[in-house]
Amino acid sequence: MSPTDAVRRHDRPRTAPEPALRPAAEPGSGVEISIWSRLFFDGKALVLRSRGFFGGRRERRYPLSGPQGISRAVLVLPDAETAARERGAGEVWLLDVSGRPVARLLPYQWIPAGAPWLNFEEAVRRSGIAALFKACGIPVERTTQDRADAPRVPWWQELTLLLSPGPALPLWYQALRIALGGVWFLAFTVLFFSEASLPWLMLLAAVTAFLAPVARLTVRRVTALRNRSATRLDPPPLVEISPFPGPPEEDGTVATRRFVSRAVLRVFPGELSVVDPYGADVRRALSGPAGAVAVVRMTGPTANRSGWNCGTPRGSGRRSARGPNGSRGRAERRHGAGSDVRCRCPARSGR
């Protein structure tokens, strides 16, 4: 494994080669993760793009050859009780030739949107992990959590081996909040039980209480700047559909101001981007098992409001954007990857 924490943008491709895993979409600081974080095969090694401790963009390479390279994958299936109780139960381990763990994956972290309660093997397929292993030539084995051959390491090593897109909030901010909270609680406890006057301790408690919202404002400002810089990593969109709502429907339903101002659908070479009203950017490939295959215009009873639904081969992960009777986004769009997203217009009953 070789980490690269400061790779210049013009030295790396703008789009990862397919098949590539894309993270679950989140608003706010998760927008940069949606744009940047990927797990893909570059022909020699698995490459993980993720967010680092201080919020920087980093790359880590996991070779598929050599004594410490990845030689096989093990799907650790959860038992029925655990699967029913815990969201995203089950994990994928990557082992070297000696059977030592090299990395681990949690499939639910790599499903862009929709179907949070998929069973484990369906999550492995829908996330693209199965297709990625097939492209890499990594053999896949199956086991269960209660069997002796299931990989086991200490909890702290599980965290270090996890191939994660990165935290929604930078780890430095989380660590700072925990430290400030601990210092404030300690100072307040001493002041409460102490009979002596300790002005310096009162000052310390006040400063820590003040720094917590300052840190929050700082991370929000930094997030806005980083999200703006992350959007420059994308190539120019080939197609863009923005909301353009018609008049209110008979029941008084109208498009919200947030939806009109934030929601957008874009087609990039080999990738589809759907931004929801809360700012979460759902990225989907335009090929492979998790790829989008159609943009569907749903027409209402008056035919002056239309919704656009992005569907995968099994119809999961729907997101909608409204357009003026479908005037933007014609019958078929072709893009650089050689695949297409077709537009279908089924009627809607309006019930």
Side-chain angles (χ1 to χ4, degrees):
M1 178 186 65
S2 58
T4 305
D5 293 329
V7 182
R8 292 173 295 180
R9 282 184 295 184
H10 62 266
D11 290 337
R12 62 168 70 95
R14 286 189 170 186
T15 56
E18 297 298 336
L21 307 190
R22 291 167 172 80
E26 294 187 28
S29 57
V31 173
E32 181 187 12
I33 294 179
S34 295
I35 298 173
W36 168 252
S37 296
R38 297 290 184 273
L39 181 63
F40 59 92
F41 178 55
D42 68 352
K44 296 181 180 179
L46 280 180
V47 180
L48 173 67
R49 292 179 182 173
S50 62
R51 170 180 284 167
F53 181 86
F54 292 102
R57 302 170 193 140
R58 67 178 184 182
E59 290 186 355
R60 289 181 179 270
R61 297 175 57 84
Y62 297 81
L64 303 184
S65 59
Q68 297 182 343
I70 298 171
S71 65
R72 60 192 172 99
V74 178
L75 307 184
V76 182
L77 283 71
D79 56 67
E81 182 181 352
T82 303
R85 185 179 66 251
E86 298 180 13
R87 172 184 177 269
E91 53 190 359
V92 181
W93 287 85
L94 301 175
L95 311 179
D96 61 15
V97 291
S98 63
R100 291 182 302 179
V102 176
R104 60 189 283 261
L105 280 163
L106 299 178
Y108 77 90
Q109 292 185 339
W110 296 98
I111 299 179
W117 289 101
L118 290 172
N119 67 68
F120 175 67
E121 296 202 63
E122 180 65 14
V124 170
R125 189 197 69 82
R126 191 75 62 84
S127 64
I129 292 176
L132 179 62
F133 289 168
K134 183 178 180 181
C136 298
I138 298 176
V140 178
E141 302 173 0
R142 287 170 172 78
T143 187
T144 57
Q145 293 177 336
D146 55 352
R147 292 184 56 177
D149 59 347
R152 289 181 176 83
V153 296
W155 65 268
W156 55 266
Q157 194 171 356
E158 287 187 353
L159 295 178
T160 59
L161 294 178
L162 182 62
L163 301 186
S164 169
L169 290 173
L171 291 177
W172 68 263
Y173 170 72
Q174 300 182 41
L176 180 61
R177 287 294 298 267
I178 293 173
L180 291 176
V183 172
W184 179 88
F185 180 77
L186 181 62
F188 181 81
T189 302
V190 173
L191 287 172
F192 185 79
F193 289 102
S194 176
E195 298 180 356
S197 177
L198 301 172
W200 65 271
L201 206 55
M202 296 178 61
L203 178 63
L204 179 62
V207 169
T208 54
F210 173 75
L211 287 178
V214 170
R216 180 61 179 174
L217 293 175
T218 301
V219 78
R220 290 184 64 178
R221 178 58 180 168
V222 171
T223 292
L225 294 175
R226 293 196 63 86
N227 286 347
R228 193 177 305 168
S229 69
T231 57
R232 292 194 286 267
L233 298 176
D234 285 324
L238 303 176
V239 178
E240 183 169 323
I241 303 174
S242 300
F244 192 86
E249 292 184 350
E250 295 179 356
D251 60 357
T253 303
V254 296
T256 63
R257 185 176 301 175
R258 174 180 289 180
F259 177 84
V260 174
S261 62
R262 294 189 181 183
V264 65
L265 184 150
R266 299 186 183 95
V267 178
F268 297 103
E271 189 171 67
L272 183 70
S273 168
V274 183
V275 180
D276 68 15
Y278 300 97
D281 190 351
V282 180
R283 297 294 178 111
R284 286 197 179 275
L286 293 174
S287 60
V293 296
V295 176
V296 182
R297 181 166 65 92
M298 308 295 292
T299 57
T302 60
N304 57 16
R305 286 173 62 87
S306 59
W308 294 86
N309 286 312
C310 165
T312 61
R314 295 196 179 185
S316 70
R318 294 186 177 180
R319 290 291 186 274
S320 63
R322 300 190 181 280
N325 296 331
S327 62
R328 302 184 188 183
R330 293 294 180 180
E332 186 171 311
R333 300 291 186 183
R334 293 193 172 273
H335 31 83
S339 56
D340 55 46
V341 173
R342 296 179 177 82
C343 172
R344 301 196 299 267
C345 305
R348 195 174 181 178
S349 66
R351 291 178 293 177

